[in-house]
Amino acid sequence: AAGVIQSPRHLIKEKRETATLKCYPIPRHDTVYWYQQGPGQDPQFLISFYEKMQSDKGSIPDRFSAQQFSDYHSELNMSSLELGDSALYFCASSLRTGTGGTEAFFGQGTRLTVV
Amino acid sequence: DQQVKQNSPSLSVQEGRISILNCDYTNSMFDYFLWYKKYPAEGPTFLISISSIKDKNEDGRFTVFLNKSAKHLSLHIVPSQPGDSAVYFCAAKHYGGSQGNLIFGKGTKLSVKP
């Protein structure tokens, strides 16, 4: 079965550069979520989109922005990168239901290293 | 302030025995709890979930117990197998929140020894 695809898998950037991470959700899933997991940390929710509109916002820095496109893929744009942005970035997707009884499926993550 | 707490960073169990992974939470507005399993270099994989209106959910070797009065849940793996060795994350969802807006614990690394 098709899973959540993230690209690139690994990315190395220098301080103050910009980075764009891409996420392709499971087909027919309408909601995308972004998480950041720093070294030794638990995953932290950044932002989510439902039907191309931002639905929830977590601890996403102002230097970051994201959007969901008409084909439901999403991009996380990160500017003025800092060393502390080095982390594993996960994207997840789900199909919104009214029951709250489903789960989000995660991609394999993009490992961003800022040097 | 950590709303979802996994106080044991690691657990080592003999193959065939029971693994019990614990999770505590502080927010009474959580209405859904999930366990994810994560292998190195992979994304978290959904394992099992439980609604706050239930106290037990079973799926094969995996059972999750919820004690709302104690704000505690646990994941039991019986019998444990070496392939179960991974990091297990407990996660919770706020009532009315979207399904993927989850609050995670820090994870417990389970090692199942042959």
Side-chain angles (χ1 to χ4, degrees):
Chain A
V4 177
I5 306 296
Q6 290 187 245
S7 69
R9 291 293 310 277
H10 302 273
L11 189 59
I12 300 176
K13 289 285 186 178
E14 294 187 356
K15 284 194 303 184
R16 293 180 288 278
E17 283 193 316
T18 61
T20 298
L21 309 184
K22 297 185 179 182
C23 170
Y24 297 87
I26 292 173
R28 291 183 294 281
H29 278 192
D30 53 17
T31 310
V32 168
Y33 315 84
W34 286 97
Y35 282 82
Q36 177 192 56
Q37 185 178 19
Q41 303 293 315
D42 47 305
Q44 295 288 324
F45 171 73
L46 293 178
I47 195 168
S48 65
F49 292 87
Y50 167 66
E51 285 291 344
K52 293 152 278 184
M53 299 287 288
Q54 180 183 308
S55 59
D56 283 304
K57 192 172 183 179
S59 51
I60 184 170
D62 292 340
R63 299 177 289 107
F64 295 6
S65 64
Q67 57 182 326
Q68 186 179 30
F69 295 86
S70 57
D71 63 352
Y72 293 97
H73 94 273
S74 178
E75 295 184 3
L76 177 66
N77 298 293
M78 310 157 71
S79 62
S80 302
L81 286 169
E82 303 172 355
L83 295 178
D85 297 328
S86 296
L88 199 51
Y89 290 83
F90 289 109
C91 171
S93 75
S94 70
L95 180 63
R96 177 170 285 200
T97 69
T99 64
T102 185
E103 71 279 354
F105 295 85
F106 284 82
Q108 292 186 296
T110 294
R111 181 169 294 284
L112 172 67
T113 303
V114 181
V115 296
Chain B
D1 182 35
Q2 196 77 15
Q3 296 187 64
V4 177
K5 301 176 185 178
Q6 293 177 257
N7 293 318
S8 298
S10 63
L11 174 68
S12 183
V13 173
Q14 203 68 32
E15 180 179 7
R17 302 277 178 90
I18 181 172
S19 296
I20 300 177
L21 302 161
N22 293 306
C23 178
D24 297 295
Y25 61 96
T26 58
N27 193 330
S28 58
M29 293 301 290
F30 289 145
D31 68 340
Y32 207 73
F33 302 91
L34 307 92
W35 284 93
Y36 281 84
K37 177 178 176 180
K38 185 181 181 303
Y39 293 114
E42 294 186 12
T45 304
F46 171 74
L47 194 57
I48 192 170
S49 62
I50 188 168
S51 165
S52 61
I53 62 173
K54 296 188 174 182
D55 54 20
K56 178 182 175 182
N57 188 25
E58 197 170 352
D59 183 5
R61 296 186 296 113
F62 303 92
T63 303
V64 57
F65 297 92
L66 175 62
N67 182 335
K68 283 187 68 177
S69 61
K71 292 191 174 68
H72 175 83
L73 62 154
S74 60
L75 174 68
H76 291 211
I77 307 174
V78 185
S80 303
Q81 299 174 355
D84 296 329
S85 297
V87 177
Y88 289 79
F89 288 97
C90 172
K93 181 180 80 68
H94 283 110
Y95 174 78
S98 55
Q99 290 88 335
N101 185 352
L102 303 171
I103 297 175
F104 283 84
K106 291 189 179 296
T108 296
K109 184 176 182 179
L110 173 66
S111 299
V112 180
K113 300 187 185 306

